[in-house]
């Protein structure tokens, strides 16, 4: 099971244990199937490659794309969606009071995002524009993006609404970086499984276990433990 420093979905606690929304949910699903998780710390792009090679079995939070379906099974959209939104540096928000990401295409706006993460069609259109793409900062670790916003090197970052708000509060950047109303994508992510190391029967059983976690309230209780009020 993949994890990385991506609070509140997965992170290392002060005592060295790995915790977070995704970790608890997927551990709970595995326990209902009589299985235990071995955790592997991997950046997103590397996790996709390890999944393809069969050295990683389970990758939570993945969007179903044709190129990924070549090497991965998907759970289906079982868990409630987590919106990806645009966060902007305060002065940038005053300069560009937009309602849609594509409104930035012909501006000097400098956008930051994580490499190899799918953020929806508007983002893909910006990525395919050579002039805009030249100003983009694509990194593996989102923490470095918040530092770039703080230093004025970029104007905004795309991130999950849940993790973005959590991280901004943790870093004390609440006055400098603001969540906007620009929803970049709101599709529900799925859990991906390596075709080299798992069978479709296991994927279906796993999806059924996730559905049970949602239906009996376990999912919401886990989320509430991590979401900042």
């Amino acid at each position: 099971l993949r994890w990385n420093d991506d609070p509140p979905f997965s992170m290392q606690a002060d005592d060295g244990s790995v915790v977070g929304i995704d970790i608890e949910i997927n551990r709970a699903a595995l326990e209902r199937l009589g299985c235990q998780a071995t955790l592997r710390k991997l950046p997103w792009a590397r996790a996709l490659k390890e999944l393809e090679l069969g050295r990683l079995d389970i990758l939570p939070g993945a969007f179903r794309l044709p190129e990924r379906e070549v090497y991965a099974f998907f759970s289906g959209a079982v868990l409630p969606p987590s919106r990806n939104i645009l966060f902007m540096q305060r002065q940038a928000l005053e300069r560009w009071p937009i309602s849609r990401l594509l409104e930035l295409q012909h501006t000097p706006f400098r956008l930051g995002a994580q490499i190899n993460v799918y953020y929806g069609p508007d983002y893909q259109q910006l990525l395919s524009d050579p002039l805009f793409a030249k100003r983009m900062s694509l990194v593996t670790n989102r923490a470095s993006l918040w530092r770039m916003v703080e230093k004025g090197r970029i104007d905004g970052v795309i991130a999950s609404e849940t993790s973005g708000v959590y991280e901004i509060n943790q870093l004390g950047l609440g006055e400098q970086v603001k969540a906007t109303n620009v929803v970049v994508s709101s599709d529900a992510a799925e859990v991906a499984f390596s075709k080299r190391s798992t069978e479709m029967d296991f994927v279906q059983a796993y999806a059924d276990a996730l559905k049970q976690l949602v239906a009996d309230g376990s999912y919401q209780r886990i989320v509430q433990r991590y979401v900042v009020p």
Side-chain angles (χ1 to χ4, degrees):
L1 177 66
R2 179 257 184 180
W3 79 281
N4 201 23
D5 294 315
D6 187 18
F9 297 103
S10 61
M11 54 195 170
Q12 195 160 27
D14 292 339
D15 62 3
S17 63
V18 179
V19 297
I21 295 172
D22 280 352
I23 300 301
E24 287 202 37
I25 289 169
N26 286 280
R27 273 178 168 161
L30 284 166
E31 286 174 3
R32 294 190 179 201
L33 300 179
C35 302
Q36 290 184 323
T38 299
L39 298 177
R40 288 195 60 194
K41 186 178 183 181
L42 295 165
W44 183 256
R46 186 61 195 171
L48 288 170
K49 190 63 180 178
E50 293 293 286
L51 194 76
E52 181 179 3
L53 295 173
R55 297 197 293 245
L56 178 71
D57 305 306
I58 303 172
L59 177 58
F63 287 99
R64 185 191 298 251
L65 299 174
E67 59 269 29
R68 295 176 182 173
E69 289 186 291
V70 173
Y71 57 83
F73 296 121
F74 286 84
S75 64
V78 178
L79 301 176
S82 176
R83 303 192 308 175
N84 285 312
I85 68 170
L86 178 64
F87 293 83
M88 293 173 67
Q89 196 265 353
R90 188 178 61 191
Q91 285 80 9
L93 182 57
E94 295 171 357
R95 182 179 179 185
W96 292 291
I98 62 168
S99 60
R100 187 180 175 189
L101 189 66
L102 278 180
E103 293 177 50
L104 295 171
Q105 185 166 6
H106 303 295
T107 74
F109 189 92
R110 299 161 301 172
L111 179 64
Q114 285 180 272
I115 193 168
N116 284 355
V117 176
Y118 178 73
Y119 294 111
D122 284 2
Y123 173 78
Q124 292 300 120
Q125 186 170 331
L126 291 181
L127 197 60
S128 66
D129 180 336
L131 291 178
F132 193 92
K134 190 176 181 179
R135 296 192 303 275
M136 293 177 67
S137 295
L138 302 178
V139 302
T140 58
N141 188 338
R142 195 172 52 252
S144 62
L145 293 174
W146 301 125
R147 288 192 288 269
M148 292 170 72
V149 176
E150 182 182 14
K151 294 176 181 177
R153 293 171 56 192
I154 58 177
D155 301 303
V157 175
I158 297 174
S160 157
E161 185 172 20
T162 302
S163 55
V165 170
Y166 179 94
E167 290 167 357
I168 288 168
N169 287 333
Q170 289 291 307
L171 293 169
L173 298 177
E175 291 301 313
Q176 296 173 256
V177 185
K178 301 295 183 180
T180 74
N181 294 322
V182 179
V183 178
V184 181
S185 63
S186 57
D187 296 333
E190 304 180 34
V191 182
F193 302 80
S194 174
K195 287 185 176 180
R196 289 198 174 191
S197 62
T198 59
E199 300 291 339
M200 196 59 213
D201 287 348
F202 177 79
V203 175
Q204 186 57 59
Y206 202 96
D208 291 341
L210 289 176
K211 290 176 184 176
Q212 292 168 10
L213 288 168
V214 174
D216 67 17
S218 299
Y219 169 81
Q220 190 59 34
R221 286 192 292 273
I222 290 170
V223 171
Q224 286 303 316
R225 285 203 294 271
Y226 290 96
V227 174
V228 177

